[in-house]
Amino acid sequence: MSDTGDFTPPQRLPAWTALVGHAQQLANHPLSALFADDPNRADRFTLILENPTEMDQSALVADFSKQLFDDETFASLIRLAHEARLDEGIQRLFDGEQVNFTEKRAASHMSMRGGCPPPPGKGADTHDMRTFAFDLREGMLVGSTGKTIRHLVNLGIGGSDLGPRLAVEALADPRGNIVGGIELAKVAFVANVDPRELDTVLAHADPAATLFVVSSKSFSTPETLANAEAARQWLRSRLGEGIDISAHFAAVSNAYDAAIAFGIRPDRVFPLPDWVGGRYSVWSAIGLPLLVAIGGMFDDFLVGARIMDDHFRLTPIEHNLPVWLGLTDLWNASFLGIQSTAALPYAHGLRSFPNWLQQLEMESNGKHTLRNGHRTEAATAPIVWGSAGTIGQHAFHQLLYQGTRKVALDFIIPVGEDSDPRQRILVDNAIAQAAALMGGRDLDAARATLARRNLPDAEIERLAPHLVSDGNQPSTTIMIPRLDAFHLGALLALYEHKVFVQGWIWGINPFDQYGVEHGKEIARALASGKTDKQDASTAQLARLAEEFRLRMR
Ligand code: F6P
């Protein structure tokens, strides 16, 4: 399919029209009735990814049966995928074609984990980065005073932060990076240009033993460069002005010259090719802090993702996990009009998963321009938010039960061992929340609940309406046996591919991000004191901020 030539906007496909009709029929249909009508529903709408590295073990189970669709809808969604020639899209993605059609680039991040070859004529060698990471991890690198480096601080934002931060939180040993009784380098992340974040990380850091990795694909992101400059000043002020501090820096970037100009040693600029998008980059040299934190387990992380790649590439779309996940969320957003998706990982280690997913989904598919340059009429990416369960239960689940909005929910459950009863509590809570948010509680059930508390009849009647919840919040539940590197890799790759599925069917480019450039331009103008071209409110705010600053001097 060329950019425009034989492209058909999705709304002109016959299956799209059929789905509009299904949506009208099903929008207010009780999910519990769909279960009552079909005893095999749970089984039929569940997909399992087998783990080829462990015989007879499921790597990942995804239960879609609590989604608001029936067989006919689902068949139409699959038909939509065929009519949109999704299989051709998947092939082109894995063949290294320029699926990033605006920037004329491949999106071959899968090649960083062996899931496909690099784009024709290109490659990315992570050998030097790996050697560097292992040397750092094992205490073989020294700073400018000869002291062993024990502390890595990653300076990066967006894709140069969210993926490795999430994976380190999920996989690094919470007791510290200790192997064979030896304490290895510890890893920290700084993304915000608010000085407080870097100050907090450096408050107890030893400058002689600290190394900063400037992670920036473009090496032009102002927040990252400002933090890198602040790190340089911190080192100079602590180690002495005249000292060569280059031993305390490395960089991951596609902009070699800019990194060198900053003062990074040539052998410490680890490349990030242009065909690996920032939000798809945790598998590449951007994963350096993760490699330092988890060592050889990094390879299990890549293997888990590669198994998802193979599944996505080779499995017919009728049984394909990322395709089901993509179609389900497309159904919710474009047909049922559900504009909000909550990611609910029931694992403290996945607390940053919603943040990672926000960038992945909203920066990829939060777009309105079709590949033919016209404006789409479909609702595209929803608003993604969430938090770790059970934290969210005690904060926002009230709205999910009794608010006035429909929210699509992704429950993510790493089951884990049962040696600690709290792990079981966590998992039971996740399963129970999905059930209660689907089933709801009608007035009779509310009355029965109150009657069990032995309340007088008048009190029951007064309170019962306040206990009613509509239910029917659609959810997908993704279960993995445990939160380890392999399963995390498979989980993240699942979401990466589902975003591709949606972008392809919507006819938009998931791999560019022109929108975010606009705000950056205005920030640059304000930084140089230019407010004449801004609206009156913006000019006023800039002036007021300046007044506050002057008062605090
Ligand atoms: O927010 C825009 C963006 O370009 C993201 O796509 C990217 O992940 C982030 O900024 C950081 O970019 P870089 O790695 O070039 O510093």
Side-chain angles (χ1 to χ4, degrees):
M1 195 188 295
S2 69
D3 270 15
T4 51
D6 47 3
F7 168 68
T8 306
Q11 285 168 311
R12 292 218 223 111
L13 299 172
W16 190 282
T17 312
L19 284 161
V20 172
H22 288 296
Q24 277 159 10
Q25 286 162 20
L26 278 169
N28 297 311
H29 195 81
L31 265 163
S32 42
L34 294 174
F35 276 91
D37 292 347
D38 177 4
N40 294 324
R41 181 177 171 86
D43 183 47
R44 281 188 310 103
F45 286 119
T46 295
L47 278 186
I48 297 176
L49 177 76
E50 299 300 340
N51 181 352
T53 67
E54 276 182 56
M55 285 298 276
D56 300 328
Q57 296 285 321
S58 305
L60 188 148
V61 177
D63 179 349
F64 298 89
S65 63
K66 292 194 185 77
Q67 289 290 345
L68 198 47
F69 48 52
D70 59 14
D71 285 303
E72 220 185 317
T73 323
F74 199 75
S76 296
L77 284 167
I78 294 288
R79 199 145 53 83
L80 177 68
H82 282 299
E83 287 173 4
R85 293 156 44 190
L86 176 61
D87 42 0
E88 181 189 320
I90 296 171
Q91 183 77 45
R92 292 181 57 178
L93 172 75
F94 280 89
D95 283 352
E97 290 191 32
Q98 293 180 348
V99 288
N100 179 350
F101 52 84
T102 47
E103 296 175 314
K104 298 202 164 117
R105 288 180 195 155
S108 296
H109 44 279
M110 300 85 67
S111 81
M112 305 305 310
R113 53 207 190 209
C116 70
K122 304 196 175 175
D125 188 357
T126 54
H127 179 262
D128 292 346
M129 181 282 279
R130 281 174 168 259
T131 306
F132 180 80
F134 275 100
D135 285 353
L136 177 55
R137 177 176 160 80
E138 285 161 18
M140 289 158 66
L141 293 184
V142 293
S144 51
T145 66
K147 200 166 183 183
T148 302
I149 300 287
R150 292 272 178 221
H151 192 187
L152 180 161
V153 181
N154 189 75
L155 305 175
I157 196 164
S160 300
D161 167 72
L162 292 164
R165 188 190 286 256
L166 158 65
V168 167
E169 286 174 1
L171 303 176
D173 190 329
R175 290 161 301 185
N177 209 356
I178 299 170
V179 174
I182 301 167
E183 183 159 17
L184 308 180
K186 64 179 180 194
V187 170
F189 292 87
V190 173
N192 205 320
V193 73
D194 181 337
R196 194 175 172 94
E197 191 178 11
L198 184 59
D199 289 352
T200 305
V201 165
L202 297 185
H204 303 290
D206 173 0
T210 299
L211 178 128
F212 296 94
V213 178
V214 188
S215 288
S216 177
K217 182 174 173 183
S218 61
F219 219 87
S220 68
T221 302
E223 293 94 326
T224 300
L225 296 186
N227 276 333
E229 187 51 42
R232 177 150 62 189
Q233 296 309 332
W234 178 77
L235 286 168
R236 284 199 179 130
S237 68
R238 302 296 197 285
L239 297 175
E241 275 302 324
I243 206 156
D244 174 14
I245 53 168
S246 64
H248 296 266
F249 278 99
V252 180
S253 187
N254 183 239
Y256 177 84
D257 291 346
I260 297 295
F262 178 83
I264 311 284
R265 292 180 185 170
D267 62 334
R268 287 192 176 186
V269 182
F270 303 111
L272 172 62
D274 67 356
W275 40 266
V276 175
R279 50 196 175 273
Y280 301 85
S281 64
V282 62
W283 327 97
S284 70
I286 289 287
L288 195 161
L290 178 61
L291 197 51
V292 172
I294 66 171
M297 280 193 300
F298 187 79
D299 289 327
D300 299 338
F301 180 60
L302 301 185
V303 171
R306 187 164 69 230
I307 281 162
M308 188 58 75
D309 292 337
D310 293 347
H311 168 87
F312 183 48
R313 184 169 56 87
L314 299 171
T315 310
I317 62 176
E318 287 76 4
H319 310 286
N320 191 310
L321 262 163
V323 174
W324 278 38
L325 193 58
L327 289 175
T328 300
D329 290 352
L330 187 137
W331 163 246
N332 286 330
S334 297
F335 296 97
L336 294 181
I338 302 174
Q339 300 305 343
S340 179
T341 295
L344 307 173
Y346 274 67
H348 181 67
L350 292 178
R351 62 193 175 281
S352 292
F353 181 83
N355 300 10
W356 174 82
L357 192 63
Q358 271 180 340
Q359 190 200 18
L360 183 70
E361 295 222 16
M362 295 167 80
E363 195 165 78
S364 296
N365 285 334
K367 293 169 190 165
H368 57 59
T369 309
L370 293 169
R371 61 168 56 232
N372 61 9
H374 295 173
R375 201 180 166 104
T376 184
E377 289 162 30
T380 56
I383 295 158
V384 178
W385 56 289
S387 91
T390 60
I391 305 300
Q393 284 174 218
H394 297 272
F396 54 76
H397 279 224
Q398 166 62 36
L399 178 146
L400 303 179
Y401 281 106
Q402 292 188 310
T404 54
R405 291 165 206 285
K406 272 255 176 291
V407 182
L409 310 168
D410 278 10
F411 287 91
I412 295 162
I413 312 178
V415 176
E417 293 167 17
D418 59 5
S419 49
D420 187 324
R422 292 175 298 173
Q423 185 63 29
R424 175 71 192 255
I425 294 171
L426 192 61
V427 173
D428 287 347
N429 263 289
I431 299 171
Q433 291 294 316
L437 285 162
M438 178 186 81
R441 179 160 52 189
D442 64 16
L443 198 55
D444 285 344
R447 286 192 185 108
T449 303
L450 291 164
R452 283 197 291 277
R453 293 185 203 158
N454 295 324
L455 295 174
D457 286 353
E459 192 62 357
I460 291 175
E461 284 311 305
R462 188 180 74 82
L463 283 177
H466 296 280
L467 269 69
V468 168
S469 74
D470 294 339
N472 243 28
Q473 297 285 27
S475 67
T476 297
T477 298
I478 295 172
M479 202 177 260
I480 51 178
R482 59 191 168 274
L483 185 54
D484 60 12
F486 173 86
H487 293 96
L488 182 69
L491 180 72
L492 301 192
L494 167 64
Y495 276 89
E496 284 183 351
H497 291 320
K498 92 116 188 192
V499 161
F500 176 78
V501 167
Q502 292 175 301
W504 183 268
I505 295 177
W506 277 323
I508 54 182
N509 180 5
F511 300 111
D512 62 16
Q513 56 281 320
Y514 290 110
V516 295
E517 300 304 325
H518 190 189
K520 292 183 192 173
E521 283 163 24
I522 298 181
R524 272 197 293 273
L526 298 186
S528 60
K530 285 193 201 136
T531 56
D532 51 322
K533 294 215 171 69
Q534 306 307 327
D535 61 83
S537 162
T538 304
Q540 171 177 263
L541 290 169
R543 183 173 42 75
L544 287 171
E546 186 58 18
E547 280 173 24
F548 279 134
R549 276 191 289 267
L550 287 172
R551 259 197 267 160
M552 284 180 284
R553 257 183 211 156

